[in-house]
Amino acid sequence: MSDAMLHAVNQDPDDFAVQIADSIESFIVAVTEVAKGDEPDSAVPFLLLEVSQLLLTGGRLGAHEDIVPDERYEPDTGPEPDVDDLRERFGRMLEPVDVFSEVFDPYEPRKAPVAFRISDNIADIVTDLRHGLAHYRSGRTTEALWWWQFSYFSNWGPTASATLRALQSLVSHVRLDQPLAALDGLDTDEDLAEEALAEEAGRVMAEEIAAPLGLHSP
């Protein structure tokens, strides 16, 4: 086991919780600011950075020993804050490239790609993280850590990983001056096989999306 992993496992729980909570709150604040649309040309690079940093936090949670909550049943955190506005803002901002395809489980043989939306994913991640923050702000530190660790494995971790791959692909296509496959007409409600995805994919030149996304070839 590496020194970094040993440090994560043996770290004082209070210090660990503060660092995790600070990172998670920073992510929520940052993506909320990006969604305001004040700097739309920088949205994709900013999201690439923020999701990358969040996954480092997730990795620390994943490397930590199993966190066991203090109570048998999860305390009620009250109504979940609405994320529809965040979802819709990102949907409009990323409309040319919001939909992407992803293999949900790379270890499941011959799994067909599934359509996702970056805007949906960001909103879902924020929902999971806010739920844990509600516990943390109510003084239920262990419950918060348990929730963040559990949901990292079950939902927001895979969702953030898929989103990161999509964002990194967008930046790479433009920086490497390569055409980008656009899934014209692809809907996340459709269940399409790999061949159907290939038929749906249209070709657009990288420069057509570079300007609105704030990405420029060197």
Side-chain angles (χ1 to χ4, degrees):
M1 184 179 292
S2 69
D3 290 342
M5 185 174 291
L6 283 171
H7 179 67
V9 171
N10 298 324
Q11 190 171 14
D12 181 270
D14 290 336
D15 292 342
F16 181 72
V18 169
Q19 293 169 14
I20 296 297
D22 284 350
S23 175
I24 284 172
E25 188 161 20
S26 175
F27 173 82
I28 294 173
V29 170
V31 298
T32 301
E33 286 298 313
V34 174
K36 290 179 180 178
D38 294 337
E39 298 183 56
D41 291 349
S42 301
V44 168
F46 280 155
L47 289 176
L48 176 66
L49 176 62
E50 293 301 329
V51 175
S52 296
Q53 292 176 331
L54 178 66
L55 282 170
L56 174 59
T57 299
R60 295 184 65 194
L61 287 164
H64 199 286
E65 62 187 355
D66 287 348
I67 299 168
V68 180
D70 295 328
E71 302 181 35
R72 182 177 180 182
Y73 299 104
E74 183 184 3
D76 184 15
T77 60
E80 298 286 354
D82 184 30
V83 294
D84 284 346
D85 181 62
L86 185 76
R87 187 192 318 273
E88 291 168 4
R89 284 175 179 269
F90 275 125
R92 290 191 296 269
M93 189 183 305
L94 301 171
E95 192 276 331
V97 290
D98 194 22
V99 178
F100 67 98
S101 61
E102 170 72 8
V103 176
F104 189 73
D105 187 346
Y107 283 99
E108 189 170 338
R110 294 179 294 279
K111 184 70 175 179
V114 178
F116 293 92
R117 293 182 185 275
I118 296 174
S119 55
D120 287 342
N121 285 5
I122 295 294
D124 290 347
I125 293 166
V126 168
T127 296
D128 275 349
L129 299 181
R130 279 178 174 170
H131 186 85
L133 269 182
H135 285 307
Y136 185 77
R137 289 168 175 167
S138 297
R140 297 187 291 269
T141 300
T142 304
E143 194 77 33
L145 288 174
W146 166 79
W147 171 259
W148 284 325
Q149 186 186 60
F150 167 75
S151 57
Y152 166 73
F153 289 126
S154 63
N155 189 47
W156 72 261
T159 301
S161 296
T163 304
L164 179 63
R165 283 191 290 273
L167 294 167
Q168 194 270 343
S169 178
L170 281 173
V171 174
S172 296
H173 275 291
V174 174
R175 297 290 170 83
L176 298 177
D177 196 22
Q178 296 175 343
L180 179 70
L183 300 179
D184 294 331
L186 179 62
D187 194 334
T188 52
D189 294 330
E190 297 181 57
D191 184 14
L192 299 178
E194 188 170 0
E195 294 80 8
L197 282 172
E199 293 175 2
E200 289 282 352
R203 304 296 292 176
V204 296
M205 296 304 295
E207 56 264 30
E208 292 179 357
I209 67 164
L213 293 180
L215 303 172
H216 304 282
S217 301

